[in-house]
Amino acid sequence: MYLTFNFSTSNYSNLSDADSLRVEELTHRSVKISIIIILGVMITLGNIAVLLVITSSVAGWSRNSRYFLLSLTAADSAFGLLVMPLNLWVSLLKDYSEGPDTLCHVVAFCNATVYSTCMYTLATISLERYIAVFYPLQYSTLMTRKRTLLLIAFTWCFPLFLLSPITFPDGIIEVHFSTASLVCNPSYSSNVAYTLSLTCLIFFPCSIVMTYANLRVWCAAKRQRLKLRKYGCALSNRHNVAARVLVPVMAAYYTCWTPCMAVMIYCALSRSSVPEWIEFVVVWLPTSNGFLNCVFYFWINKNFRRKFHLILQRLALAICPELADAFGWSNTSSAQFVSGILDNSMVHERTSSVSSTCTLLSLA
């Protein structure tokens, strides 16, 4: 009688432990899904606002600059409109207790392609800025419309070719659904050579181009600022545009992308995994760069904010005139505002502009 009672208590204890682990797992899962959804909404809304502005003329932004920035906006929007919904759908509706399938390979391919395209696009923007600053007279020859579109096509098509092996279920790369990060992840330890080649062809080249181009532009802006200050052409309390833009851009890039690449290389070489929450953070951290790009490339630009304010006025006047009147956005004031913006755009629209991030002339 005593042994039977003891056995029942032991089973009850084991069931309680299993239930506690299950509740904890569901709690972690709910928190992760909430974080992903909030991040996806922020990225989507931020890039929709950006798209509304840069599809029209913005003072100081050339046609080529808008092409590159549109490409960046499309890549960042894919985080919120493609990567997050696909992985959430897989995590909520699919049961991966039996292992990966073709769908998970396709989702993993989409994830890797969007990540790679974003990095390539950031590198091409830095390259365009570098050419505009150091070769302004040759800019129209070096950065023709055809070459600009070819560069953009490369940033979108080359990752498709480079990452195509991930799509094959019986290929050189295994894919599994990770319950830690809620993502269809390639098992990079299954092919170390391929993993290292990806980092050598994507992350490191893009990082080198971005670092070199932005560092050169920042140094040039600093030298010009010192010269202007020396001859009394610049106020001492004038904001340092280069430091305010280029430094945060590079800091955000390395903060978001380096941990992910480091963990990927570590897992491939050591053939081991990292703790659950570390994996979740490093996998989803690069997507936050899609929102930070909206802040650093667009919202700190005065011309962008003015144009967005104009668009809000137009939408308010078209949808809800009463709301426009409440904010003082009358038809007369809006028409004057539109005229001023368009005149300013025609004056500042130039072929060799330095996009929205660092125009050396603005330091004067």
Side-chain angles (χ1 to χ4, degrees):
M1 185 69 179
Y2 173 77
L3 292 176
T4 303
F5 177 77
N6 188 37
F7 177 76
S8 300
T9 304
S10 177
N11 287 342
Y12 180 78
S13 177
N14 291 335
L15 289 175
S16 299
D17 292 341
D19 291 340
S20 299
L21 291 175
R22 181 61 178 171
V23 170
E24 183 179 359
E25 180 183 348
L26 292 176
T27 302
H28 288 182
R29 186 187 185 92
S30 301
V31 172
K32 292 174 184 176
I33 291 176
S34 300
I35 293 174
I36 294 172
I37 292 175
I38 292 173
L39 187 58
V41 171
M42 291 171 59
I43 293 172
T44 302
L45 294 179
N47 283 282
I48 288 176
V50 169
L51 187 63
L52 289 174
V53 175
I54 61 178
T55 50
S56 60
S57 178
V58 181
W61 293 1
S62 69
R63 180 182 59 188
N64 289 342
S65 298
R66 289 202 301 273
Y67 285 158
F68 284 116
L69 294 173
L70 278 171
S71 177
L72 177 64
T73 303
D76 290 339
S77 299
F79 285 131
L81 298 177
L82 182 64
V83 171
M84 292 178 176
L86 278 178
N87 288 279
L88 286 177
W89 179 71
V90 171
S91 65
L92 293 174
L93 301 181
K94 299 289 288 183
D95 181 12
Y96 279 86
S97 58
E98 299 180 357
D101 59 7
T102 304
L103 175 62
C104 204
H105 278 266
V106 173
V107 173
F109 171 72
C110 293
N111 297 343
T113 301
V114 172
Y115 278 47
S116 303
T117 300
C118 186
M119 281 191 282
Y120 278 126
T121 304
L122 290 171
T124 55
I125 290 176
S126 299
L127 180 63
E128 186 265 346
R129 184 189 311 119
Y130 174 83
I131 295 174
V133 171
F134 291 98
Y135 304 97
L137 299 180
Q138 294 85 12
Y139 182 89
S140 58
T141 303
L142 296 173
M143 295 299 298
T144 61
R145 183 175 181 271
K146 181 179 180 180
R147 290 181 178 177
T148 298
L149 295 179
L150 285 176
L151 273 176
I152 294 174
F154 171 81
T155 61
W156 285 88
C157 295
F158 184 65
L160 296 175
F161 166 77
L162 191 64
L163 299 166
S164 57
I166 300 178
T167 59
F168 301 105
D170 298 324
I172 60 175
I173 292 292
E174 298 178 2
V175 174
H176 67 280
F177 179 76
S178 173
T179 56
S181 58
L182 302 182
V183 168
C184 288
N185 269 336
S187 180
Y188 293 110
S189 59
S190 61
N191 194 321
V192 179
Y194 182 72
T195 301
L196 296 179
S197 64
L198 286 181
T199 56
C200 291
L201 291 174
I202 300 176
F203 177 70
F204 290 115
C206 294
S207 301
I208 291 172
V209 170
M210 288 186 65
T211 303
Y212 177 80
N214 286 294
L215 185 61
R216 288 290 308 276
V217 171
W218 181 81
C219 292
K222 184 178 180 179
R223 287 195 300 268
Q224 182 177 359
R225 180 177 173 83
L226 292 176
K227 289 181 181 179
L228 292 173
R229 184 178 297 176
K230 178 180 179 181
Y231 293 103
C233 298
L235 297 177
S236 58
N237 59 349
R238 176 86 177 198
H239 292 296
N240 190 338
V241 178
R244 192 176 61 179
V245 178
L246 299 183
V247 173
V249 163
M250 292 306 302
Y253 172 80
Y254 280 110
T255 300
C256 293
W257 292 100
T258 304
C260 182
M261 296 298 110
V263 169
M264 188 176 76
I265 295 174
Y266 168 78
C267 292
L269 294 177
S270 66
R271 298 183 181 276
S272 61
S273 60
V274 294
E276 174 186 355
W277 279 99
I278 293 180
E279 179 182 339
F280 176 80
V281 170
V282 300
V283 168
W284 288 103
L285 188 60
T287 61
S288 63
N289 197 218
F291 176 75
L292 295 177
N293 287 334
C294 297
V295 177
F296 297 138
Y297 279 91
F298 302 101
W299 289 107
I300 64 174
N301 185 281
K302 184 177 180 180
N303 293 327
F304 178 89
R305 295 196 302 270
R306 293 178 63 190
K307 198 61 177 287
F308 183 70
H309 185 224
L310 168 63
I311 292 175
L312 288 182
Q313 288 189 7
R314 288 177 173 176
L315 291 176
L317 288 170
I319 299 174
C320 185
E322 294 80 6
L323 180 63
D325 292 337
F327 283 97
W329 295 343
S330 62
N331 287 319
T332 304
S333 62
S334 179
Q336 294 174 350
F337 190 74
V338 170
S339 178
I341 290 291
L342 294 180
D343 291 343
N344 194 28
S345 298
M346 289 187 290
V347 171
H348 290 280
E349 183 74 18
R350 58 189 180 279
T351 308
S352 60
S353 70
V354 195
S355 74
S356 64
T357 52
C358 176
T359 305
L360 293 182
L361 294 177
S362 67
L363 297 177

